[in-house]
Amino acid sequence: MNNAYRIGTIIGIPIKVDISFLIVLPLFAWFFSSQAEPFGFAGTQSETMKYILSLLTAILLFASVLIHELAHSYFTLRYGGSIKEIRLHLLGGVAAMKEEVHEPLKVMTIVAAGPLSSIIMGVLLLIFNYSFNPVSVSEGNALFLIAFILGYINIFLGFFNLVPAFPMDGGRILRAFLSTRMDFVKATEKAVLVGKIFAVLMGILGLFTDFWLLLIAFYIYGNASREEQLVKSRYTRY
Ligand SMILES: [Zn+2]
């Protein structure tokens, strides 16, 4: 867990990259280098340029994940909570809280700020791409292509994170909403149940369509159960 390197500090929060991040970064770069336009740079003439652009896109993708985490963090600090660190790893990023905020409305704002920042970022990038691109995307220069790729992925990530299942932000928004009407453990149980139903439906769909969907479904189901146990153990000990 401690194999992480500190790369800087933003608004007083240490930013760390996990060792797994160093593996996934070249993997993403390779992915972008192998995709045809407008989702990659396979068509780029110069081999060196192809890999430089792909690596740059991968780095900027993680920079946008960092902005997503900073959006959560900004509102956490504003509402009196505190953040230990932001860590970038294999599956994205996580802002580790030191002191949590508990009021449901504030929690909803903190959680929603992440996906909303991704969607806003994505829309701005696509607007930049469509409004200023001198030629079509396929003939556009590298900068516009990067804006298109990042815009597209950020909008996807924003909406995917709104799926009401743990560990996605949508699961936390749902729990915060439910906890305005019932106690926290009950709200967690209900949100976990919704997440599990989602996971099962996604798993069934995955069985018939895409193997990756099945893997994600297992991941979501596992996380839902873990969240429930975590909350129960924290609340029944006293
Ligand atoms: Zn988030």
Side-chain angles (χ1 to χ4, degrees):
M1 273 302 276
N2 273 323
N3 289 327
Y5 303 97
R6 188 172 169 155
I7 53 165
T9 305
I10 303 176
I11 52 171
I13 303 165
I15 312 295
K16 291 184 180 174
V17 292
D18 197 89
I19 193 119
S20 63
F21 171 80
L22 299 174
I23 301 164
V24 84
L25 193 67
L27 213 66
F28 269 86
W30 170 80
F31 175 77
F32 290 129
S33 75
S34 69
Q35 298 295 305
E37 287 183 20
F39 291 104
F41 304 95
T44 307
Q45 293 295 322
S46 147
E47 283 289 300
T48 320
M49 205 56 191
K50 185 201 291 187
Y51 291 112
I52 289 174
L53 289 173
S54 301
L55 186 63
L56 182 65
T57 308
I59 291 170
L60 288 174
L61 176 60
F62 277 91
S64 49
V65 170
L66 180 60
I67 291 173
H68 173 116
E69 297 305 330
L70 281 169
H72 287 311
S73 306
Y74 171 77
F75 283 99
T76 304
L77 297 180
R78 223 183 122 161
Y79 292 144
S82 64
I83 304 282
K84 186 169 153 258
E85 64 184 29
I86 290 177
R87 198 181 272 234
L88 295 174
H89 57 82
L90 193 66
L91 294 164
V94 64
M97 306 234 174
K98 212 167 8 180
E99 254 166 87
E100 285 184 56
V101 175
H102 292 291
E103 295 104 294
L105 276 177
K106 289 179 177 172
V107 173
M108 272 193 260
T109 310
I110 290 170
V111 184
L116 282 182
S117 73
S118 298
I119 292 169
I120 291 169
M121 233 185 319
V123 169
L124 289 178
L125 283 164
L126 288 188
I127 288 175
F128 168 78
N129 178 70
Y130 287 125
S131 326
F132 300 103
N133 197 346
V135 281
S136 71
V137 174
S138 60
E139 291 166 25
N141 67 35
L143 180 67
F144 292 103
L145 205 53
I146 291 175
F148 178 82
I149 295 170
L150 292 178
Y152 202 88
I153 296 179
N154 268 300
I155 290 173
F156 172 78
L157 284 180
F159 280 106
F160 184 70
N161 254 300
L162 285 174
V163 170
F166 294 108
M168 264 85 79
D169 290 328
R172 279 168 226 291
I173 295 173
L174 177 63
R175 170 169 63 191
F177 173 72
L178 291 172
S179 68
T180 58
R181 305 147 183 256
M182 56 191 84
D183 71 69
F184 194 68
V185 177
K186 273 246 147 51
T188 302
E189 279 172 0
K190 287 229 161 42
V192 161
L193 181 67
V194 172
K196 281 181 175 173
I197 292 170
F198 251 96
V200 170
L201 291 177
M202 205 185 245
I204 293 170
L205 190 70
L207 265 182
F208 296 106
T209 55
D210 196 342
F211 179 68
W212 281 106
L213 217 52
L214 192 64
L215 278 186
I216 297 171
F218 271 110
Y219 177 70
I220 291 173
Y221 196 94
N223 266 279
S225 311
R226 214 181 51 147
E227 185 71 31
E228 192 171 30
Q229 269 152 21
L230 198 76
V231 168
K232 278 190 174 158
S233 68
R234 209 190 301 165
Y235 277 78
T236 51
R237 205 169 284 157
Y238 305 103

